Amino acid sequence: MERRFTGAGVLAGLIAGLVSFVYARIFIEPQVRLAIDYEEERSHAESMLSGEHAHEQEIYSRTVQENIGAGVGTVVFAVAMGALFAVAFTVLWAYVGRRWPAADPRAVAAGLGAVAFVAVIGVPYFVYPPNPPAVGEEDTIGARSGAYLTLTLVSVALMVVAVILGCRLADRIGGLWSGVTSAVVYLVGVTITAALLPEFKEIPGPVMDGDRIVGAGFPGQVVADFRVYAIANQVLLWTVLTVAFVALLGVMMRRSKTSDRTLAEVGA
């Protein structure tokens, strides 16, 4: 059964990855192109001031990057998330199925999808929203990546603690209040963690030559649109992944019931 769950997770991730890539290609890629155009214009303005002209040669063309590179990266990420989702569901269902035999595994999978999205994507994206190219200093890449990873790991760990706490309190104080208690514990934990981590506000301002502006600052609308499309893309990916996994669970359940009826008829 664990292998079937893993297979369902990988397949659901593959479907979600393909859908997510199509969305990103249509909505996110134009924002990336605008950011790259701005980066080139800014480099030109800075070169005019310094008198030095830097010529950077791309290893891969934009066509390769936005199609093959982005496609492979998106699908690999989604498949990995699907596999991890299946592992998490297997562990969770092993506990829930024993404690509440009447529980529907599809409902458990749907709930897992919701809390996983909040822990892995929602909270880290809220604290450190994604930025298009040309936003952010090269010297702070390591610090930004470390802070984002730290917050993600803490968020996942706190969500696991919150789910365990909610399950244990459910029989004592009821499902509603156990859920509220778990949510409060999780939110307090991630809020404290986010407050302790550094802030990064690195959207480029205008290129100045004394008091004269020789290059515009980064377009705020591009940043806003990129972030909206990026989080929408993740919502789409996790929704498709969860729905596909739930649908595959339903197929497995129907096949299991059919097999049980066949065995019962043969035995009779």
Side-chain angles (χ1 to χ4, degrees), residues 178-252:
S178 64
V180 171
T181 302
S182 300
V184 170
V185 169
Y186 172 76
L187 291 175
V188 169
V190 294
T191 300
I192 293 174
T193 303
L196 295 176
L197 290 172
E199 292 185 51
F200 300 97
K201 298 179 179 179
E202 301 176 334
I203 297 177
V207 180
M208 305 295 295
D209 181 13
D211 295 331
R212 184 169 63 94
I213 297 176
V214 296
F218 195 93
Q221 190 62 48
V222 174
V223 176
D225 290 343
F226 179 86
R227 290 176 175 176
V228 169
Y229 289 135
I231 190 63
N233 190 34
Q234 288 298 319
V235 171
L236 178 65
L237 187 151
W238 282 86
T239 300
V240 173
L241 191 156
T242 303
V243 170
F245 188 83
V246 169
L248 292 170
L249 276 182
V251 173
M252 287 189 285

Side-chain angles (χ1 to χ4, degrees), residues 4-121:
R4 292 183 180 180
F5 289 158
T6 302
V10 170
L11 179 56
L14 176 61
I15 296 171
L18 293 174
V19 174
S20 176
F21 168 66
V22 172
Y23 176 91
R25 186 66 181 82
I26 296 173
F27 294 100
I28 299 179
E29 184 55 36
Q31 307 306 317
V32 173
R33 193 176 299 114
L34 290 174
I36 292 175
D37 291 342
Y38 167 81
E39 190 173 26
E40 293 176 351
E41 293 174 1
R42 185 180 183 88
S43 296
H44 177 70
E46 292 174 343
S47 298
M48 294 295 290
L49 286 178
S50 64
E52 299 178 358
H53 297 276
H55 298 282
E56 296 183 2
Q57 185 175 1
E58 291 183 337
I59 299 177
Y60 299 103
S61 67
R62 280 297 303 152
T63 301
V64 173
Q65 293 176 19
E66 66 187 15
N67 291 299
I68 299 176
V72 171
T74 301
V75 171
V76 169
F77 171 79
V79 168
M81 290 298 101
L84 292 175
F85 184 89
V87 172
F89 172 79
T90 302
V91 174
L92 181 60
W93 179 244
Y95 175 79
V96 174
R98 285 197 306 266
R99 188 162 185 176
W100 295 285
D104 189 334
R106 293 169 295 185
V108 174
L112 176 62
V115 298
F117 172 80
V118 171
V120 178
I121 301 297

